Amino acid sequence: MNRSRSSWDKKAAQPPVTRLTRSSSSTQTRQSDTTETQESGPGLYGKQRKKQTDSALAQDLSQMRVSGQDGLSTSKAKMSKGSSDSVQAAQSSGSRSDLSSPSEVSAKSSSRGGLASVARLVKLGRCKNVVVVAGAGISTASGIPDFRTPGTGLYANVEKYNIPYPEAIFNIDYFSNDPQPFFSLAKALYPGSHRPNYIHYFIRMLHHKGLLLRMYTQNIDGLEKVCGIPDDKLVEAHGSFATASCHLCYTTYPAEEAKHAIMSDNVPICTFCAATVKPDVVFFGEDLPQKYFLHTKDFPKADLLIIMGTSLQIEPFASLVNTVRSTVPRLLLNRHAVGPFERVPLRRGDHVELGDLEDTVRRFAEMLGWNNEIEELMRSQETLSLPALISNPPPVSGQTPCQSRGASEPPARMETSRSRPGAQRGASSGSSEETDSETDSKSSASSSLSN
Ligand code: CNA
């Protein structure tokens, strides 16, 4: 059955509807609360201070930047306000890429030692529960534009979508009124035409080494799965194209049929309420998938947080980075300092490596002695997966939109700090129904290598 209808008759045929409002975020807690309550444990650096067991660690400690304001600035209001202020200041200066900002200078000056310090910690076996937080910047090397890079980012090229402001393309109310701008973009973003790059395989190698606790990605390109990061190690916080459902009543819809309709310039229509179907990519104002709530278990457990290729502008995702224990090292790999890494001085244990992400990750891998293995992994995976991908699309999480939007947990809704400057910054807390797979055994990694 052809469930779609031509884009040209869509507006006339769609019945007037009452919009469903997804549940509010009244139960949300500020991430800074979580951080504060989790500071009591000794943490990685706490242990180091006590033991001082080797000169490498002593050197690490000498490179750590200790902010005298750390304790003072942990008041909930200040942490939240300070962070959004710096974001807004950067925005009002016209570009987030202003390299002359003080934080940028500070971050640059501390960057080289930072990467080496973290590599040393990993080699010493101090980081066994690594959480990776990623954004569109990890996929630009695969040829997929990010949102905000001036010139090449999608937001700089939205004229062709005929929308009043860039974020409209991912605004659910705008989509409800006119899905065409998003569908035009979706045609370019649909997984299939892009390949994972070195950065994706570096993260896959973290898993292979048994070090990856979880990867939280905002990306919707599916490249994490294509490179072989297993489903239980991955949280696609902003959804994906792997499933589709009605944007109003959430009735599921076959993803392949939705794709076919969109690629053919038709509009997939819900068989239940006749509203427009969309891929389960999370729009502003929509709830994040249930799996996102794994963060409440993962972040307190993390012993290293790596943040890659994101401007940390979209909430509640952006605030996740504040929920590791304050003693846990955080490493930002990005072209520009973002979020809490704009702060001067950096929080103790924070490290920033600025520059092209692929170059940085290659250097990181070389410091770790992983480069050859990653190259080999890339070769083997690409050889294995290309023919398989053609006949067999990458596996999907198995989460249906109904499951992912279950009513049992408080939802988190996606917002930009930019579009909602006064909005509460912070992720919802809640428990997860997902199995918490803690270990990344080498055997499971090896078997996934041969998939
Ligand atoms: P963003 O706001 O565009 O930020 C990307 C960040 O990565 C910026 O700080 C860039 O400076 C940085 N960056 C980009 N390329 C490189 C590079 N080669 N080396 C170093 N740094 C680089 O995107 P975010 O991920 O922060 O925003 C989240 C949005 C983007 C999510 O909702 C996604 O769905 C959405 N998005 C995803 C994709 C994708 O799936 N590949 C593409 C475009 C947008």
Side-chain angles (χ1 to χ4, degrees):
M1 180 175 70
N2 183 5
R3 301 167 203 237
S4 61
R5 68 173 174 244
S6 157
S7 57
W8 310 115
D9 65 354
K10 187 259 158 191
K11 278 192 178 171
Q14 184 163 332
V17 286
T18 305
R19 284 194 43 70
L20 299 180
T21 307
R22 298 190 189 188
S23 39
S24 79
S25 53
S26 58
T27 54
Q28 287 184 351
T29 57
R30 286 178 182 273
Q31 294 302 294
S32 49
D33 293 356
T34 320
T35 306
E36 285 176 31
T37 56
Q38 287 157 1
E39 285 181 6
S40 52
L44 180 59
Y45 282 123
K47 281 180 192 153
Q48 285 170 3
R49 279 195 210 96
K50 282 175 198 139
K51 291 185 184 167
Q52 297 277 335
T53 48
D54 57 52
S55 60
L57 283 182
Q59 197 183 339
D60 287 339
L61 288 170
S62 73
Q63 287 170 348
M64 282 197 302
R65 308 168 64 92
V66 181
S67 162
Q69 294 170 344
D70 236 14
L72 295 173
S73 61
T74 49
S75 103
K76 297 165 200 170
K78 276 189 185 169
M79 288 259 302
S80 177
K81 180 89 167 50
S83 145
S84 64
D85 276 352
S86 59
V87 166
Q88 284 163 19
Q91 284 167 345
S92 61
S93 75
S95 168
R96 296 190 49 74
S97 61
D98 180 2
L99 285 175
S100 63
S101 75
S103 58
E104 205 79 15
V105 172
S106 159
K108 279 181 104 177
S109 64
S110 68
S111 62
R112 298 277 161 180
L115 194 63
S117 296
V118 176
R120 199 175 300 121
L121 290 172
V122 174
K123 286 207 281 194
L124 285 167
R126 302 288 198 267
C127 308
K128 293 192 159 74
N129 287 304
V130 181
V131 170
V132 174
V133 161
I138 72 165
S139 291
T140 53
S142 296
I144 305 173
D146 65 1
F147 267 176
R148 292 178 179 83
T149 292
T152 57
L154 293 170
Y155 282 180
N157 292 284
V158 290
E159 317 81 57
K160 55 187 168 199
Y161 300 113
N162 195 23
I163 47 177
Y165 56 95
E167 286 87 352
I169 207 156
F170 286 103
N171 180 300
I172 193 64
D173 297 324
Y174 198 92
F175 175 89
S176 192
N177 185 52
D178 180 9
Q180 278 313 320
F182 171 71
F183 284 162
S184 305
L185 178 63
K187 285 170 76 172
L189 280 182
Y190 252 112
S193 49
H194 301 281
R195 304 299 307 156
N197 62 58
Y198 191 92
I199 305 159
H200 296 100
Y201 283 102
F202 173 85
I203 301 163
R204 166 83 187 272
M205 185 54 66
L206 276 172
H207 165 62
H208 183 56
K209 298 284 181 187
L211 307 180
L212 183 67
L213 177 60
R214 206 91 60 191
M215 175 183 192
Y216 287 76
T217 184
Q218 297 166 94
N219 292 349
I220 52 179
D221 55 35
L223 294 183
E224 296 88 357
K225 282 180 183 162
V226 178
C227 88
I229 296 170
D231 208 36
D232 68 333
K233 289 289 162 185
L234 183 64
V235 173
E236 292 175 313
H238 292 171
S240 76
F241 287 92
T243 56
S245 58
C246 173
H247 85 286
L248 271 185
C249 72
Y250 311 136
T251 301
T252 56
Y253 189 93
E256 274 309 307
E257 279 188 40
K259 179 178 180 180
H260 184 259
I262 292 165
M263 296 309 251
S264 321
D265 290 328
N266 291 326
V267 174
I269 293 300
C270 176
T271 48
F272 184 72
C273 76
T276 307
V277 164
K278 75 169 182 59
D280 290 326
V281 168
V282 180
F283 279 32
F284 298 123
E286 286 199 302
D287 301 343
L288 273 60
Q290 189 68 27
K291 204 174 176 184
Y292 170 77
F293 293 102
L294 280 174
H295 77 82
T296 59
K297 289 181 182 175
D298 289 346
F299 281 68
K301 214 187 289 177
D303 50 22
L304 171 64
L305 178 64
I306 304 178
I307 299 144
M308 304 171 137
T310 173
S311 60
L312 292 179
Q313 292 264 322
I314 297 184
E315 294 292 358
F317 192 94
S319 288
L320 283 180
V321 303
N322 296 320
T323 66
V324 289
R325 287 169 291 129
S326 66
T327 49
V328 168
R330 302 187 297 186
L331 173 64
L332 173 72
L333 309 178
N334 207 42
R335 195 168 273 141
H336 316 291
V338 293
F341 298 89
E342 291 180 289
R343 194 173 131 175
V344 179
L346 288 173
R347 188 175 93 171
R348 67 201 159 116
D350 277 359
H351 304 278
V352 178
E353 187 76 14
L354 301 181
D356 179 76
L357 195 48
E358 194 170 5
D359 291 347
T360 306
V361 170
R362 275 184 193 277
R363 274 192 293 117
F364 195 25
E366 271 157 21
M367 288 175 190
L368 293 167
W370 295 357
N371 187 43
N372 290 344
E373 271 181 281
I374 294 174
E375 301 272 9
E376 179 53 36
L377 175 60
M378 284 181 82
R379 271 193 296 274
S380 61
Q381 180 76 7
E382 292 295 301
T383 315
L384 282 169
S385 63
L386 269 175
L389 274 170
I390 292 162
S391 56
N392 231 342
V396 296
S397 69
Q399 274 191 306
T400 65
C402 291
Q403 288 166 331
S404 69
R405 291 169 180 140
S408 61
E409 298 295 340
R413 303 167 101 202
M414 193 164 89
E415 294 170 350
T416 50
S417 357
R418 180 177 190 158
S419 57
R420 298 273 309 274
Q424 181 182 18
R425 290 177 68 89
S428 302
S429 45
S431 58
S432 171
E433 292 166 4
E434 295 289 329
T435 307
D436 182 19
S437 110
E438 281 196 50
T439 49
D440 247 326
S441 72
K442 294 255 167 77
S443 58
S444 87
S446 313
S447 63
S448 67
L449 270 175
S450 59
N451 284 342

